[in-house]
Amino acid sequence: DAGITQSPRHKVTETGTPVTLRCHQTENHRYMYWYRQDPGHGLRLIHYSYGVKDTDKGEVSDGYSVSRSKTEDFLLTLESATSSQTSVYFCAISAGTGVTGNQPQHFGDGTRLSIL
Amino acid sequence: KQEVTQIPAALSVPEGENLVLNCSFTDSAIYNLQWFRQDPGKGLTSLLLIQSSQREQTSGRLNASLDKSSGRSTLYIAASQPGDSATYLCAVRVNRDDKIIFGKGTRLHILP
């Protein structure tokens, strides 16, 4: 299995509080992603990173920010959590384009976040 | 805008049967397509990745095909087993900046 660790695995917090989720990889992959998964919506991309300090928005980026100061860590921050951000959050990594073409994504086990 | 659709949303079949899961996408200009498996409460496990220049990929009892011109991919599972019960998702890589769009998945239940 790809070396991806998400922390925390579970979190319950109140509306209006800041929340930071961490994704740590040991594969030295260039690309890292944050997704949220919700019933009826499937997996939706929040933000992604294509290198240290290089990030871009996904389709549901409002209310979220990210940072990547090191290759191995990608942080997702909810500045002021809302109940609509209750979800399961997945981190994924990818080596990007290799000799044989684009490489697959590998996923972490997810963080279950509840905003009360 | 690329959209990925998986039909049916759920499927139940008796153990031992061969089955096909379907994935369709609206824009044929893709870089690759990937099939994943997700068990309840778990993350996604990559099963097969098909490059845009390829027509199919095989791994054990799994075979995935790709027809870009028609915007379709299928995942064939031979001799299904109860352990194959899971949600199967397909995802297309849209362009070189590595965005990936997911379908909502097919929830598969293999009846013992």
Side-chain angles (χ1 to χ4, degrees):
Chain A
D1 291 343
I4 309 170
T5 304
Q6 291 187 233
S7 58
R9 293 294 315 280
H10 303 273
K11 186 174 182 65
V12 180
T13 191
E14 295 181 346
T15 301
T17 60
V19 177
T20 296
L21 307 183
R22 179 181 184 236
C23 179
H24 178 78
Q25 61 144 329
T26 58
E27 306 296 320
N28 200 36
H29 282 352
R30 177 181 176 188
Y31 292 87
M32 298 185 76
Y33 312 79
W34 278 109
Y35 293 89
R36 60 179 291 175
Q37 187 175 38
D38 305 285
H41 292 279
L43 271 160
R44 293 179 290 175
L45 181 65
I46 305 172
H47 282 279
Y48 68 103
S49 170
Y50 45 94
V52 174
K53 297 186 180 179
D54 291 324
T55 65
D56 204 350
K57 297 179 179 180
E59 59 183 305
V60 290
S61 59
D62 287 348
Y64 301 94
S65 63
V66 290
S67 66
R68 191 169 179 200
S69 59
K70 300 184 290 185
T71 298
E72 58 266 36
D73 289 326
F74 193 33
L75 304 180
L76 177 71
T77 297
L78 292 67
E79 300 291 348
S80 178
T82 67
S83 58
S84 65
Q85 293 175 312
T86 292
S87 185
V88 180
Y89 291 84
F90 286 100
C91 173
I93 65 174
S94 170
T97 302
V99 174
T100 56
N102 288 319
Q103 300 302 303
Q105 279 194 331
H106 298 282
F107 280 75
D109 288 335
T111 293
R112 189 172 299 274
L113 178 63
S114 296
I115 314 295
L116 304 178
Chain B
K1 178 184 176 183
Q2 178 72 269
E3 293 183 0
V4 181
T5 303
Q6 293 184 249
I7 296 174
L11 181 64
S12 294
V13 300
E15 179 179 3
E17 284 197 3
N18 303 325
L19 60 99
V20 174
L21 305 180
N22 297 297
C23 173
S24 61
F25 45 94
T26 54
D27 187 344
S28 62
I30 64 171
Y31 267 48
N32 64 34
L33 183 144
Q34 195 168 356
W35 282 93
F36 294 87
R37 168 186 173 138
Q38 185 176 28
D39 294 291
K42 301 291 186 180
L44 280 68
T45 299
S46 178
L47 297 174
L48 291 165
L49 181 146
I50 311 175
Q51 305 291 352
S52 60
S53 59
Q54 297 173 327
R55 296 298 297 265
E56 66 176 344
Q57 281 287 328
T58 298
S59 175
R61 292 184 295 110
L62 306 179
N63 175 276
S65 68
L66 175 64
D67 184 344
K68 281 178 45 179
S69 62
S70 66
R72 295 180 183 274
S73 176
T74 61
L75 178 66
Y76 175 83
I77 303 177
S80 59
Q81 303 170 359
D84 295 329
S85 296
T87 297
Y88 290 81
L89 298 100
C90 74
V92 299
R93 187 181 297 265
V94 177
N95 52 38
R96 67 176 183 177
D97 68 5
D98 234 38
K99 288 183 179 179
I100 291 181
I101 307 298
F102 281 82
K104 294 181 181 180
T106 294
R107 189 171 63 255
L108 176 65
H109 182 48
I110 305 300
L111 305 168

